[in-house]
Amino acid sequence: AGDWLTFTANFLSVPDAALAGIAAFPLPFIAGTVFPLAWRIVFPEEQNAARAFGNMFAINKIASAAGALAAPFLLVPIFGIYRSLLFIAFGYAVLATWGTRRPGKKIPVAAWGVPALFFVAFFGEWTRNPMPVSQEMKASLLAIYQGSSGVVSVVEGTSRRLVVNQRTTLNGTERALRSQLHQSWVPLFLCQDPKRVLHIGFASGISAAAALRLPIGESVSAEVNPAVIEAAKKHFSPWNHALFSDPRSRYFPSDGRKVLRDQSAPFDLILCDLFFPQQAETSNLYSKNFFSEASGKLRENGLFVLWLPAYQMTDPLAGIIVKTFLEVFPNAILIRGNFDPLRPVVGLVGSRQPIDLSESFLQKQAASPAFQNLAAESPFFRSPANFRLLFIGDLRAVAKQFDPYPTNTDDAPAFAFLAPEETKNGKKLIGNSLLEWSGSRFLDASFPSCHTGLSDPPRILSALRAGNYYFSASGAMEPLAGEAPENAERRMERAKKAFQYAEEIWPDADLVPQDLGR
């Protein structure tokens, strides 16, 4: 009750609290009738109240333990969530009807009407989809998978996607495809001779499978939702086939932190793939405790990369994450996963050793056969000059700017308390908001987290600024719904100017507007 009142006071308005109270009222009301009803069913003529109470208490404990085991391990895997709820409702209805009997009299046939309705509804669920996909998605439903972690839908419109509990969209095969590939390829480009790679939260498996196109020795992947793994395996095989077939790949249907702890050998690269703020328990994957565990599992020059869905972040949320990240990793930089203004993805890269951004290292990586093959799919691997456009800034250089934000830990999950409210009402870091958030910070040619070699710091700053102009151009090229033709012309003119500024600042790059992609 105390937790509920605290939650109501902090996160719900008065009308919302009233609505929640009305919605929750039937549950305690019905729960209050269970014990008297059970007494009547089991002991209708019991004279010894103490014995009756003791027996009832024992039966209740045994049944509670059996139910706690049967629901997640038996009912939900067999029937799914909605059918399981109907099955349980049917059982309660039978007990309630049985409780209406009188000694020496039969229960009226009409009294079995309510149990019969639940029985019909339960079997009716076998003939229809338990959770239709919302019309807003404008996509057809391919399959539904149910488990103790929720309902996973596979939908397809312009893109094939995974949707968890009709709310959270995981990955996609159209607009988000290059971003998912980059989430493996960009960190691997920064990694020196990677042998062991860990992916936490692989969802559709596209990112994890992308890493196997490079000459790594072993890939370990973790996904906490077994239904997501099943859906990914059956419906995304054109993109993730290697994840489930390559002998270098091992995957675990388990919590990422547990998989990390169970691994004895260190990793060259640990990748965390887009943990959405509004999802339950996400805060644990943005905590100082987790970052410390991950740092301890890295080789001396290994990299830890935390990809952020900026389009679901706000300044306070991002500030908490960066502040927490900097308390663990002495060297930290910020990189891009894409140039999509509406669904931007950015990555925090942390290491115990300086991160190599020298011209000689980037030249070596770009000249390798593996990345030359990938250059046909992503222009950012065609040259070091193109790759530098993905660099947003050195977080260690601006660490003091994040001092006002709280640190997120397992015991004090500041992120968990703030994320639901911020992602609902806050200003998301998309388009110009993201440019303002990053561009106002990384103004100086200071890169304490990096090994720059013979590369001139002002030259690196030029590439950073050019990347911001390219992102601005990408945003200006984004069509607006229902805009007038003259507005579209002005918008495209802004995009052209931003692109020209980027070329003037960083003439070494050879991008064209189509290369920005999504």
Side-chain angles (χ1 to χ4, degrees), residues 170-452:
L170 306 180
N171 305 146
T173 59
E174 194 256 343
R175 182 170 184 142
L177 184 58
R178 180 185 286 180
S179 175
Q180 293 171 75
L181 300 176
H182 279 179
Q183 285 162 37
S184 277
W185 293 348
V186 173
L188 284 167
F189 194 92
L190 290 171
C191 199
Q192 301 185 32
D193 192 26
K195 297 300 183 185
R196 296 193 80 224
V197 179
L198 171 64
H199 294 262
I200 296 179
F202 66 75
S204 67
I206 295 175
S207 292
L212 293 164
R213 294 178 60 181
L214 295 166
I216 62 175
E218 181 184 11
S219 170
V220 180
S221 306
E223 170 57 53
V224 71
N225 192 333
V228 168
I229 297 177
E230 186 178 3
K233 191 172 185 178
K234 292 184 178 179
H235 297 279
F236 289 81
S237 58
W239 303 275
N240 68 15
H241 178 70
L243 178 63
F244 302 104
S245 61
D246 195 305
R248 297 173 295 165
S249 173
R250 292 188 297 141
Y251 64 93
F252 297 90
S254 181
D255 176 73
R257 289 182 68 167
K258 181 181 184 303
V259 173
L260 179 67
R261 291 169 187 160
D262 291 344
Q263 298 296 309
S264 56
F267 290 95
D268 300 286
L269 177 63
I270 298 176
L271 294 166
C272 297
D273 198 348
L274 294 188
F275 306 136
F276 297 115
Q278 73 270 28
Q279 286 184 310
E281 300 181 1
T282 293
S283 179
N284 292 337
L285 295 170
Y286 287 129
S287 74
K288 183 177 180 179
N289 309 71
F290 171 54
F291 296 159
S292 297
E293 292 172 7
S295 177
K297 291 289 185 176
L298 287 172
R299 296 189 192 277
E300 186 61 27
N301 62 345
L303 300 180
F304 176 81
V305 181
L306 177 67
W307 288 107
L308 303 180
Y311 52 92
Q312 292 193 353
M313 295 285 174
T314 59
D315 180 284
L317 295 180
I320 290 173
I321 296 170
V322 174
K323 166 70 176 299
T324 307
F325 197 84
L326 287 170
E327 290 193 3
V328 175
F329 293 99
N331 302 289
I333 64 173
L334 192 65
I335 58 175
R336 302 182 198 278
N338 60 14
F339 280 83
D340 188 339
L342 298 183
R343 297 180 70 85
V345 173
V346 298
L348 280 66
V349 182
S351 177
R352 294 195 297 272
Q353 297 295 323
I355 299 163
D356 200 341
L357 287 182
S358 65
E359 192 70 18
S360 59
F361 175 70
L362 299 185
Q363 281 283 6
K364 174 187 172 185
Q365 294 294 83
S368 67
F371 282 107
Q372 285 185 341
N373 290 335
L374 299 183
E377 298 180 53
S378 173
F380 300 100
F381 302 108
R382 287 203 295 253
S383 68
N386 286 4
F387 184 83
R388 288 194 185 278
L389 296 170
L390 299 175
F391 179 54
I392 298 178
D394 192 313
L395 291 169
R396 179 59 60 190
V398 295
K400 290 187 179 298
Q401 296 185 27
F402 295 96
D403 285 344
Y405 297 96
T407 300
N408 188 57
T409 65
D410 289 347
D411 294 333
F415 189 90
F417 290 113
L418 189 62
E421 181 70 9
E422 284 293 323
T423 52
K424 179 181 179 182
N425 301 319
K427 188 177 181 182
K428 307 295 191 302
L429 295 180
I430 60 175
N432 289 333
S433 295
L434 179 58
L435 276 179
E436 292 171 5
W437 185 87
S438 60
S440 62
R441 286 186 165 90
F442 305 111
L443 301 174
D444 300 324
S446 176
F447 310 106
S449 299
C450 304
H451 170 62
T452 58

